[in-house]
């Protein structure tokens, strides 16, 4: 007999808006990830999966006011493994996603749901510390890219 329960988690979504062009933002994020890929061992690398971009018609259907949309999926195997040691549910939150949206007025919006916020309900101090460090790295990258001229 199966048992089902619902665990309500808090969502901590970071939204960063910039006047930078969508293509430049996406290229800069990919370039930073690629540059980091050569540092450290394979498990310590921040890796990005290639995800298809939603063009203007599909993006507008998904999100009114958005002309282009891409989801970037990032993972660091060592971080995921460290989190999974104490919190097996981490597989629901890692790898992480960054949603990059080109707004019809020409700006770009970056959205990121923090891992620390998602796992807060579990009240695991060790996992929270690892997740906060990972979130800080991702958010620093996004802020750096958004602030470029």
């Amino acid at each position: 007999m199966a048992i089902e329960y619902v665990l309500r988690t808090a969502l901590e979504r970071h939204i960063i808006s910039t006047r930078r062009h969508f293509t430049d933002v996406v290229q800069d994020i990919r370039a930073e990830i690629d540059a980091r890929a050569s540092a450290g061992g394979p498990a310590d690398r921040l890796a990005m999966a290639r995800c298809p971009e939603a063009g203007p018609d599909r993006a507008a259907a998904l999100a009114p006011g958005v002309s282009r949309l891409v989801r970037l999926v990032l993972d660091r195997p060592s971080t995921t493994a460290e989190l999974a040691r104490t919190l097996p549910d981490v597989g629901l939150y890692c790898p992480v996603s960054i949603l990059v949206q080109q707004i019809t007025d020409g700006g770009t919006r970056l959205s990121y749901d923090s891992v620390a916020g998602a796992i807060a309900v579990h009240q695991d101090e060790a996992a929270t510390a690892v997740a906060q460090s990972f979130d800080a790295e991702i958010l620093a990258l996004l802020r750096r890219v958004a602030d470029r001229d």
Side-chain angles (χ1 to χ4, degrees):
M1 173 196 257
I3 299 172
E4 179 180 337
Y5 65 95
V6 175
L7 179 63
R8 295 195 186 273
T9 61
L11 180 64
E12 203 172 275
R13 179 163 291 158
H14 297 262
I15 300 171
I16 302 169
S17 295
T18 180
R19 298 299 308 156
R20 294 192 67 213
H21 191 272
F22 172 87
T23 303
D24 296 334
V25 171
V26 172
Q27 286 176 347
D28 285 353
I29 291 171
R30 287 183 171 148
E32 285 221 19
I33 299 303
D34 290 345
R36 292 170 183 230
S38 61
D44 295 324
R45 292 183 187 146
L46 187 59
M48 180 168 48
R50 300 292 177 184
C51 296
E53 179 182 329
D57 294 338
R58 177 87 171 119
L62 292 171
V66 173
S67 58
R68 289 172 78 186
L69 183 69
V70 67
R71 178 177 171 236
L72 304 175
V73 178
L74 303 176
D75 192 22
R76 175 179 294 119
S78 62
T79 300
T80 301
E82 189 173 351
L83 287 168
R85 273 188 224 113
T86 59
L87 188 62
D89 283 357
V90 77
L92 296 168
Y93 317 114
C94 290
V96 298
S97 294
I98 298 167
L99 191 64
V100 185
Q101 306 167 41
Q102 181 180 27
I103 308 307
T104 53
D105 71 2
T108 302
R109 184 178 359 195
L110 303 159
S111 301
Y112 172 72
D113 293 346
S114 80
V115 177
I119 68 169
V121 69
H122 298 286
Q123 299 179 347
D124 184 304
E125 290 181 27
T128 298
V130 172
Q132 287 173 333
S133 176
F134 186 61
D135 288 339
E137 180 182 356
I138 299 295
L139 288 167
L141 181 151
L142 297 179
R143 290 174 183 136
R144 206 169 35 252
V145 167
D147 285 338
R148 286 195 185 132
D149 289 329

